């Protein structure tokens, strides 16, 4: 009997060992365009926030409490990347996005956005360093939001390089809405810089007295998703509305996107109007809004891979509050399809990326978050 119990235990032990070595998969998902499965690549990430792909097939993932993690061959390296700047993990702040320099293969430069302490409180900053093994070397801060404050919300912050090599940094209003209309304040704006932090000569407000020269656009509440359009190369972004009124916009030089003067959202719990309503001369209308319910968008990507051929060109947006992945198809700047995928299947979706292998990758924002991959089922590619 003892031998039998030992054999049974051994069989179950081997089973669980093999199960732990194999990627976990969700049930088959049937969408309007494709059938796919969800494969868990890595589990046990603490509030993961941003993701980027390394040329050698690896990945870098940020964890909001302040760790930068390496993933190689589907395994999470237990040793975090060292050399990060001091990070203030408070409220919604912490280590946020990560991006590679366009010439990373030659210069090894990695960029991170994060909340940092300083005079007046905390605020979004951006630093860069060379990734050498498990360490960032020659780290330098290239942007600091000014002024800082003691609020723990609305830090932004996505990092996107455009085709000309300019770095865009998306920010939030820090929970102090009036700041988004103030030219001497970085909060509530999108920033545009050279890769080393210098201000481009053609930034729209550089020559205006009283304006922060780094500002590219103003009137944003909290921008947590941004991506380049695959045809035009323009920066598209979404932002959180208040109660309702999440938006998608094309970010263009000198534009004012309205917050808090205009919005399609309303005051929390009251349903009352914010500002002047939904329209005001000189302020940009969004391409798309979510009303009356906010989805709380975070992360976005245009899909241009070869795995999901009927999704090519579509925009994918993660949702925190609604816990889903949103697929949008545009005809120019007009939404012609909207599909909600994986509703409450994975929890809060923080980031969405189109991988160089043609798969879609998602980060789930939980204390024990995960990196998952969407794969088409046989015959779907």
């Amino acid at each position: 009997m003892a031998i039998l119990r030992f054999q049974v235990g051994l069989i179950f032990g081997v089973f669980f060992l093999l199960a732990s070595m194999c990627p976990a998969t969700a049930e088959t998902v049937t969408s309007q365009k494709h059938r796919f499965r969800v494969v868990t690549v890595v589990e046990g990430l603490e509030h993961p926030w941003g993701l980027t792909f390394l040329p050698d097939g690896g990945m870098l993932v940020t964890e909001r409490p302040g760790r930068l993690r390496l993933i190689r061959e589907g395994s999470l390296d237990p040793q975090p990347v060292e050399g990060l700047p001091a990070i203030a993990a408070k409220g919604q702040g912490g280590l946020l996005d990560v991006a590679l320099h366009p010439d990373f293969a030659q210069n090894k430069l990695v960029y991170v956005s994060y909340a940092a302490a300083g005079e007046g409180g905390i605020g979004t900053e951006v630093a860069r360093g060379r990734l050498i093994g498990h360490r960032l070397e020659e780290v330098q801060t290239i942007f600091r939001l000014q002024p800082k404050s003691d609020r723990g919300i609305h830090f932004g912050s996505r990092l996107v390089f455009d085709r000309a090599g300019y770095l865009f940094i998306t920010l939030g209003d820090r929970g102090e809405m009036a700041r988004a209309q103030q030219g001497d304040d970085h909060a509530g704006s999108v920033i545009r810089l050279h890769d080393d932090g210098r201000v481009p000569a053609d930034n729209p407000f550089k020559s205006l007295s009283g304006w922060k020269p780094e500002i590219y656009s103003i009137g944003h509440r909290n921008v947590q998703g941004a991506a380049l359009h695959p045809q035009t190369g323009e920066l598209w972004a979404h932002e959180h509305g208040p109660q309702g009124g999440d938006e998608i916009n094309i970010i263009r030089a000198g534009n004012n996107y309205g917050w808090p003067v205009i919005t399609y959202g309303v005051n929390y719990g009251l349903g009352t109007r914010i500002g002047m309503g939904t329209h005001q001369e000189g302020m940009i209308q969004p391409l798309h809004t979510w009303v009356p319910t906010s989805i709380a968008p975070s992360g976005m990507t245009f899909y241009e891979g070869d795995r999901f051929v009927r999704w090519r060109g579509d925009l994918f947006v993660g949702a925190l509050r609604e816990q889903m992945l949103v697929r949008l198809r545009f005809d120019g700047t007009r939404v012609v399809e909207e599909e909600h995928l994986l509703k409450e299947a994975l929890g809060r979706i923080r980031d969405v990326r189109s991988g160089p292998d043609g798969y879609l990758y998602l980060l789930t924002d939980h204390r024990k978050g995960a990196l998952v991959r969407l794969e088409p089922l046989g015959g779907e590619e």
Side-chain angles (χ1 to χ4, degrees):
M1 182 62 69
I3 294 175
L4 178 60
R5 285 197 298 269
F6 172 78
Q7 290 174 332
V8 171
L10 181 62
I11 290 171
F12 275 100
V14 171
F15 171 79
F16 284 117
L17 176 62
L18 290 174
S20 68
M21 294 171 61
C22 297
T25 59
E27 294 183 3
T28 298
V29 178
T30 301
S31 71
Q32 294 174 8
K33 303 291 186 181
H34 285 282
R35 292 172 62 247
F36 63 92
R37 62 180 181 176
V38 181
V39 175
T40 300
V41 180
V42 165
E43 295 180 299
L45 295 164
E46 186 175 3
H47 293 290
W49 213 95
L51 164 69
T52 193
F53 302 93
L54 296 167
D56 64 4
M59 306 176 201
L60 287 171
V61 175
T62 61
E63 293 178 302
R64 200 176 70 224
R67 291 179 296 274
L68 180 61
R69 310 299 299 273
L70 275 164
I71 297 173
R72 296 193 185 280
E73 297 180 354
S75 296
L76 179 64
D77 192 315
Q79 178 184 350
V81 175
E82 298 177 344
L84 291 175
I87 293 166
K90 176 182 178 180
Q92 297 172 358
L95 183 57
L96 303 173
D97 207 11
V98 58
L100 303 184
H101 190 280
D103 294 325
F104 173 85
Q106 286 72 45
N107 61 31
K108 306 300 182 185
L109 285 173
V110 173
Y111 292 71
V112 291
S113 60
Y114 54 95
E119 183 179 353
I122 58 176
T124 305
E125 298 189 358
V126 176
R128 71 175 189 175
R130 300 186 194 278
L131 182 63
I132 309 299
H134 282 78
R135 186 173 183 83
L136 290 182
E137 305 281 359
E138 305 172 36
V139 174
Q140 58 180 160
T141 301
I142 65 168
F143 172 78
R144 291 183 172 91
L145 178 143
Q146 295 292 338
K148 297 182 186 297
S149 69
D150 61 1
R151 302 296 299 274
I153 60 174
H154 296 188
F155 293 88
S157 160
R158 294 294 172 186
L159 303 175
V160 179
F161 280 96
D162 72 3
R163 294 173 181 173
Y166 293 111
L167 174 64
F168 287 91
I169 305 165
T170 73
L171 300 173
D173 67 3
R174 302 293 283 107
E176 299 162 315
M177 61 176 69
R179 296 178 64 180
Q181 290 293 324
Q182 296 172 0
D184 61 350
D185 192 326
H186 289 128
S189 70
V190 172
I191 302 299
R192 178 179 179 249
L193 300 173
H194 286 291
D195 62 347
D196 59 2
R198 290 176 297 116
V199 178
D202 60 348
N203 265 16
F205 305 110
K206 185 176 182 181
S207 300
L208 291 183
S209 176
W211 281 75
K212 298 285 190 187
E214 301 88 355
I215 292 176
Y216 192 74
S217 64
I218 66 170
H220 303 284
R221 186 170 182 267
N222 192 23
V223 184
Q224 292 190 339
L228 294 186
H229 190 281
Q231 275 75 52
T232 68
E234 289 186 300
L235 184 70
W236 287 41
H238 62 58
E239 63 186 81
H240 292 259
Q243 184 175 315
D246 301 334
E247 301 179 1
I248 294 178
N249 294 289
I250 302 175
I251 306 303
R252 291 175 174 150
N255 276 359
N256 185 338
Y257 292 87
W259 176 256
V261 180
I262 60 172
T263 176
Y264 284 82
V266 296
N267 281 302
Y268 286 108
L270 301 173
T272 52
R273 189 176 74 175
I274 298 172
M276 304 297 294
T278 59
H279 291 68
Q280 183 77 358
E281 186 177 355
M283 294 183 176
I284 304 301
Q285 285 292 300
L287 302 185
H288 185 64
T289 60
W290 284 276
V291 290
T293 302
S294 293
I295 68 167
S298 186
M300 65 185 282
T301 191
F302 286 95
Y303 181 75
E304 285 296 297
D306 295 325
R307 305 278 186 177
F308 296 98
V309 293
R310 291 183 290 280
W311 283 352
R312 193 172 293 131
D314 291 353
L315 182 66
F316 287 83
V317 174
L320 300 169
R321 182 184 182 277
E322 290 297 299
Q323 300 184 29
M324 64 184 178
L325 178 66
V326 179
R327 181 183 66 85
L328 296 167
R329 173 157 294 184
F330 283 83
D331 180 3
T333 58
R334 182 173 62 92
V335 173
V336 293
E337 288 183 19
E338 178 170 348
E339 183 178 14
H340 295 173
L341 303 167
L342 302 170
K343 177 73 171 178
E344 298 182 347
L346 300 174
R348 292 160 52 88
I349 296 178
R350 172 62 72 183
D351 201 8
V352 185
R353 304 282 175 149
S354 183
D357 55 8
Y359 297 120
L360 271 174
Y361 288 82
L362 315 177
L363 288 176
T364 64
D365 180 21
H366 301 282
R367 187 172 63 84
K368 294 184 178 180
L371 170 65
V372 304
R373 180 174 64 230
L374 307 191
E375 298 181 355
L377 293 177
E380 282 284 303
E381 296 184 36

